[in-house]
Amino acid sequence: MIFVDRSRVEPPRELLVYQREELARVQALMAMPELDRAQIKLFSPMPRGLNQLIVDQLSILFNGRCAFCERAGSHAEQFRPRWRATRLHGEVDGEHYWWLANEWDNLHLCCGTCDMNKRNLFPIEGPAAPPLTTGPALREERPLLIDPCVDDPRDHLTFQEDGLVVAKSDHGDATIKILRLNSRELVATRRNQAENVIRICESFSDEVERAEALDQRFGRHGFHQAVIQAVIERFQRADPAMRDPSPVIPPFVPPVPGVEALSDGAWLESIEIRNFKAIGALDLTFPAPQSVDGIVTQPWLMVLAENGVGKSSLLQAVALALMPEHARDDGTLRPAHTWLRRAPRVSKGSVRLTFSDGRQRTLSFQKGWTDFQWSGDAPPLPVLAYGATRLLPDFDDEEPTAPIREAVSVRNLFDPRYPLKNAERALVNKERVSEEQFDRLAVDLKALLPLKGSAWLLRGERRIATELHGTTMALDELSGGYQSVLALAMDIMFHLTGSSRFDMESAQGVVMIDEIELHLHPMWKIQIVEKLRRTFPRVRFIVSTHDALCVQGLRKGELRVMHRHPEDQQLRIESIDVPAGARADEILTGPWFGLQSTMDADTLALMAEHSALLQCRTLNARQKRDLQQMENELRHRMGTFGNTRSHRAALAAAAALEQERPMPSADTRIQARLQQILRDDPTGAEGEGA
C-alpha cells in the first residue's frame, strides 16, 4: 500500500451526472418515514458502461494496482460502504454511507480478494458522520482503515524484506487484520519482490546506474511498490558492505479492541477426494472471485451429473470433513469403513480441504475402521448442507422455544427425514430479533422472490406474512415452490446471522445443496443462481443439478460435468462453460448433458423413418407419398425449429450420416435429395439463408 495523489486524475464527467441523479433519488427515499423505507433496497447495480469508465479512470490513478494490497486491480470499490457499515464488535450501522455510494473520492481500484476481505467492514474510533457529510469533515470519524489517498501508509505500516507487513499504529493493525495483508500469497510475492530489489541494488555500486536499473525493472507501474520503496530506502541508508539484512523491528502496537472479534476472510479453496463411495479420485478448485457490473461475489461450484455418478457423494465428503467433533456421535454417521469405495486393492480413503489462509483439514478412513480420523484445522466458517429431500418444518409440531442456531448444520444432507429448522418461529420472536434486524433480513429475502410491486414482509406473533398490493397472505398459504425456497432461504439466513448481525451481504460460509432445482418453476430455475449469488455474495455454494435451466447464470469455471468413461467406467470431471445466452435445448444437446435430441421419442422415430427413406436410391410412388406425409407431419410438429424443407432435410442428412453405410455414398445421395428439395421450395431455401 502506497500513498496516491488523487488530484492528478479527474473523475469521468458521466459519473458526476450519475452521482447527482442517484443522490437525489436515494435522498428522497431517506426522507420517507423510517417504517416506510425499512424494507426498501436502496441501490441497484451501476450501468455497465459507466462502471467501465470509472474502472478505466481508477486504473490510471492507481497504475492498475489494487489500492490496498497492490495486486492487479479489477473493479471500483467504495472505501466507505454504501450501506450496512459494520463497526467494531460486529455492530451494523444500517444507513451509512448512502450519500457516498458514487462519490469519486470514495471510489478506489480494488482486487477481488481485498473486496471479499473488506466486505462492509468500516470500524471507526469517533462518532459516525451525519448524513451528507463529505470532504475533510469525514476525518472526524477517525476511521481505523487506512485510506491510501488520504493517509500516508508509511506512517502506519512497515514493509519488511521477508514479505511481512508490521503495524506501527492501531490504524495499521486494523488494516492488516481486515484486509489480511499478511496472507501467505501476499507475503510470498512481497518477499520475492524484495529479493529482486536487493539483487539489483547489490549489483550496482553507482547510485545513478542502480536507479536506472531499478526503474527499468520495476518502474512506477510495478506491483508491490511499498516493499520496493522500503527496501531501496533501507539500502540507501546503510553502507552496502556493512548492511544488516535483518528487518527493522517496529515498536509493539497493542491490538485494537474489537478488531480481533471480526471474522477472518478465509474461504474454502480446493477439494481432494480419494476412494469415497462412488468417487475414486476427484480434485476441484474454486475459480477466483469475479466482478460483474461492479459487484464482486464469491464463486460457485455446480456439479452436473446423472444419478449414481457421485455428485451427492461429493457434497457428503465435504460435509463430513467439516463436521465439528461433537457432531460425530449424534447417530447420523455410519461406520467409517462403509464410506470407502468398493473396488479391488482399495483399503483407505481421504478427503482433504484447503483454505485460502493456508490451513488444511483432512478426513481419513480405512477398511475395518469404525471411526473417522481428522487432522488439521478449518477456519470458523458456517457450514450448511441440504439433501435432495428438504422437508419443510411443521410450525405447530415444533417446541415453543426458538430453535438452536448451529454454525455447522449438515444433518439434512445425510438424513432425508430431517426437516429444515423452523426459522420463521425464530424470526417472529421480537425479543430475539429486533425490528431493524428483521427489516434487514426482509430486504434480502424479498430479493430472492419473484415479487412484483411494493411487496412487504410482516411478522405477527406466530407467523410471517407478505403484503402485496394491499392483500396479506401467510407464507404457508403460498405455493409449494415458494414455500420450499422460502424455507431454504430462511434456514440459510438463520444459521448465517451469527457472524453477520443479520446482514447477508457480509455473511460468509459454505452452503451445499443437492439437486437445487427441486420444486422450482422453470423461470425461477433460470434465475435461482443469480438470485442466491446476489443475496449471499460472500458465501461459497457447492450445488448439484440435473436441470439445464439451473446452469444458466453460472460464470467462467463454475460448472463441472461428472460422468463415467464408457470403456473403463472411471470417473471423469470436466470444466465446461455454458455460453452466455444459450437456450435450454442447446444446453441439453451440448456437451453439458450430451442428449442426442430434446424431442419426444415418437418424433425422433418419425425422423428416423424419414432419414431411412432419404437413403434409398430410388423411391416408388408409395414411398414418395409416405415421404411427403412425413415431411408435412414434421413441419406441423417442429414448428419454427423445422419450419422449412431445407432445414428438415439438413436434420435428416445429419441423421443419415450417422448410419453404418460408407460416408461418401450416403453424403452424395443426401446432397442430391437436398438440392431437389431446395429447387422445389425456393421459399424454404430463402428461409434457411441459402
Side-chain angles (χ1 to χ4, degrees):
M1 185 183 293
I2 61 172
F3 178 76
V4 176
D5 180 9
R6 191 154 205 126
S7 65
R8 70 185 185 86
V9 175
E10 293 293 324
R13 182 180 59 83
E14 294 85 348
L15 172 62
L16 301 179
V17 175
Y18 181 78
Q19 195 271 344
R20 286 195 300 269
E21 294 173 350
E22 276 291 285
L23 182 60
R25 182 187 67 82
V26 179
Q27 194 169 1
L29 291 176
M30 296 303 296
M32 296 167 57
E34 186 174 351
L35 289 177
D36 293 342
R37 58 177 164 84
Q39 294 185 17
I40 295 177
K41 193 174 183 67
L42 294 181
F43 299 101
S44 299
M46 180 180 289
R48 185 168 298 181
L50 174 59
N51 179 70
Q52 188 58 54
L53 281 176
I54 295 170
V55 171
D56 291 343
Q57 285 297 92
L58 289 174
S59 296
I60 297 172
L61 175 62
F62 291 94
N63 293 318
R65 299 189 298 269
C66 173
F68 306 110
C69 71
E70 295 192 82
R71 285 175 283 216
S74 59
H75 66 279
E77 157 72 11
Q78 285 94 358
F79 180 68
R80 284 174 169 81
R82 298 186 300 177
W83 65 341
R84 299 180 179 179
T86 303
R87 310 300 191 186
L88 291 176
H89 306 288
E91 293 88 355
V92 178
D93 191 341
E95 297 190 349
H96 278 70
Y97 296 85
W98 55 266
W99 66 96
L100 299 174
N102 303 293
E103 185 74 31
W104 171 249
D105 288 346
N106 192 48
L107 297 174
H108 294 59
L109 191 67
C110 189
C111 69
T113 301
C114 282
D115 183 281
M116 288 290 106
N117 291 334
K118 182 175 175 290
R119 292 163 283 168
N120 284 355
L121 299 177
F122 198 76
I124 55 177
E125 294 179 305
L132 301 178
T133 301
T134 58
L138 287 170
R139 301 301 297 169
E140 298 300 319
E141 292 187 318
R142 302 197 300 278
L144 286 170
L145 272 176
I146 297 170
D147 184 347
C149 295
V150 176
D151 310 299
D152 189 339
R154 292 176 297 184
D155 295 337
H156 306 283
L157 302 171
T158 296
F159 288 84
Q160 301 183 157
E161 294 174 12
D162 60 0
L164 289 171
V165 55
V166 183
K168 297 166 66 175
S169 69
D170 53 357
H171 298 269
D173 178 66
T175 301
I176 292 172
K177 164 71 176 178
I178 291 171
L179 295 173
R180 299 194 67 245
L181 295 182
N182 278 329
S183 68
R184 55 176 180 157
E185 184 263 331
L186 276 177
V187 169
T189 54
R190 285 197 299 257
R191 180 172 59 245
N192 181 65
Q193 195 76 309
E195 291 171 352
N196 291 334
V197 176
I198 291 172
R199 280 196 294 269
I200 291 177
C201 288
E202 291 178 343
S203 300
F204 296 92
S205 57
D206 183 88
E207 290 188 11
V208 175
E209 293 180 350
R210 182 192 309 154
E212 290 177 351
L214 288 169
D215 184 66
Q216 183 176 2
R217 175 65 183 274
F218 304 108
R220 66 186 183 90
H221 295 284
F223 296 119
H224 302 297
Q225 287 287 321
V227 73
I228 294 173
Q229 294 175 4
V231 171
I232 293 174
E233 289 174 4
R234 285 199 287 274
F235 195 94
Q236 291 173 338
R237 287 197 300 266
D239 182 349
M242 303 293 294
R243 183 169 170 272
D244 181 5
S246 60
V248 176
I249 305 299
F252 172 74
V253 177
V256 179
V259 171
E260 290 301 318
L262 300 174
S263 57
D264 289 324
W267 319 97
L268 175 61
E269 279 196 337
S270 63
I271 304 164
E272 302 173 33
I273 301 176
R274 299 293 182 268
N275 297 322
F276 184 90
K277 293 184 69 176
I279 300 174
L282 181 64
D283 297 300
L284 289 172
T285 300
F286 278 93
Q290 300 177 42
S291 172
V292 175
D293 296 334
I295 299 175
V296 178
T297 57
Q298 284 288 355
W300 281 44
L301 281 178
M302 178 177 282
V303 179
L304 181 64
E306 298 176 355
N307 286 327
V309 174
K311 62 183 187 306
S312 299
S313 299
L314 161 65
L315 304 184
Q316 291 175 338
V318 176
L320 284 170
L322 288 171
M323 268 189 178
E325 194 166 333
H326 66 79
R328 306 176 193 177
D329 304 319
D330 66 352
T332 301
L333 302 183
R334 305 196 308 267
H337 67 85
T338 64
W339 299 89
L340 187 67
R341 185 169 69 98
R342 296 181 181 181
R345 297 185 296 277
V346 172
S347 60
K348 60 183 179 180
S350 64
V351 181
R352 178 178 298 169
L353 307 179
T354 302
F355 300 88
S356 59
D357 61 358
R359 282 186 267 192
Q360 285 191 335
R361 173 81 160 164
T362 302
L363 172 76
S364 303
F365 45 97
Q366 292 189 19
K367 272 187 177 179
W369 283 13
T370 302
D371 299 323
F372 291 99
Q373 287 190 358
W374 279 265
S375 63
D377 294 323
L381 284 170
V383 180
L384 312 177
Y386 304 92
T389 304
R390 299 185 282 273
L391 298 179
L392 302 181
D394 191 317
F395 192 96
D396 295 322
D397 290 346
E398 190 155 330
E399 294 294 324
T401 56
I404 299 174
R405 183 176 61 240
E406 302 164 300
V408 178
S409 177
V410 299
R411 187 172 171 184
N412 179 261
L413 181 63
F414 299 92
D415 183 358
R417 299 164 298 177
Y418 187 77
L420 305 181
K421 289 292 184 183
N422 196 330
E424 185 177 1
R425 181 183 291 278
L427 295 179
V428 298
N429 186 337
K430 296 185 179 181
E431 293 182 359
R432 179 171 183 170
V433 181
S434 69
E435 288 293 339
E436 181 184 2
Q437 291 169 335
F438 177 79
D439 288 335
R440 199 175 296 150
L441 282 180
V443 173
D444 296 324
L445 196 57
K446 290 194 306 181
L448 275 174
L449 303 177
L451 299 175
K452 297 180 180 179
S454 54
W456 204 263
L457 292 183
L458 310 171
R459 59 176 177 170
E461 294 184 1
R462 292 173 53 82
R463 300 282 186 175
I464 295 177
T466 177
E467 183 182 86
L468 183 61
H469 302 312
T471 301
T472 301
M473 183 181 296
L475 295 187
D476 61 357
E477 295 176 329
L478 299 173
S479 67
Y482 270 64
Q483 290 187 51
S484 176
V485 172
L486 282 170
L488 177 63
M490 287 194 292
D491 193 89
I492 295 174
M493 291 178 175
F494 173 74
H495 287 95
L496 294 183
T497 52
S499 62
S500 68
R501 299 300 176 96
F502 299 86
D503 175 21
M504 293 303 106
E505 287 191 4
S506 294
Q508 60 188 66
V510 177
V511 174
M512 293 172 278
I513 306 174
D514 198 10
E515 299 187 20
I516 191 174
E517 72 275 6
L518 292 182
H519 310 299
L520 297 183
H521 181 276
M523 183 57 68
W524 216 346
K525 291 177 182 180
I526 295 173
Q527 300 172 352
I528 191 63
V529 169
E530 193 60 28
K531 282 182 173 291
L532 286 173
R533 193 196 301 274
R534 292 294 177 96
T535 303
F536 306 102
R538 286 166 172 79
V539 171
R540 293 203 167 183
F541 281 81
I542 308 174
V543 302
S544 72
T545 189
H546 299 104
D547 200 303
L549 297 178
C550 289
V551 306
Q552 302 193 54
L554 293 176
R555 298 173 186 171
K556 184 176 177 60
E558 292 184 334
L559 179 63
R560 308 301 167 91
V561 180
M562 293 175 64
H563 60 91
R564 294 199 177 278
H565 195 277
E567 295 180 359
D568 60 17
Q569 292 300 303
Q570 293 298 310
L571 183 67
R572 302 284 197 274
I573 186 161
E574 300 176 77
S575 177
I576 307 178
D577 297 322
V578 177
R583 300 191 313 270
D585 62 297
E586 293 174 330
I587 295 172
L588 286 169
T589 56
W592 309 279
F593 285 83
L595 297 183
Q596 294 298 316
S597 174
T598 58
M599 298 178 190
D600 61 277
D602 187 54
T603 300
L604 288 174
L606 186 61
M607 290 185 67
E609 291 183 48
H610 183 270
S611 174
L613 285 178
L614 282 181
Q615 295 178 61
C616 295
R617 293 180 181 274
T618 58
L619 297 177
N620 58 35
R622 181 182 58 80
Q623 289 174 322
K624 290 180 180 179
R625 186 171 59 253
D626 290 346
L627 186 65
Q628 185 62 50
Q629 290 175 349
M630 289 180 188
E631 290 177 354
N632 292 337
E633 178 65 19
L634 286 172
R635 177 185 294 121
H636 174 72
R637 291 189 181 194
M638 298 166 66
T640 57
F641 184 71
N643 63 335
T644 64
R645 282 180 154 184
S646 59
H647 194 175
R648 293 197 309 281
L651 290 172
L657 290 174
E658 295 178 359
Q659 302 297 320
E660 296 181 358
R661 296 190 181 189
M663 179 71 70
S665 60
D667 185 61
T668 300
R669 289 192 302 277
I670 293 167
Q671 288 294 334
R673 175 62 177 161
L674 178 60
Q675 292 299 323
Q676 179 183 346
I677 292 174
L678 292 176
R679 287 194 299 270
D680 294 342
D681 188 2
T683 304
E686 232 174 54
E688 291 299 310

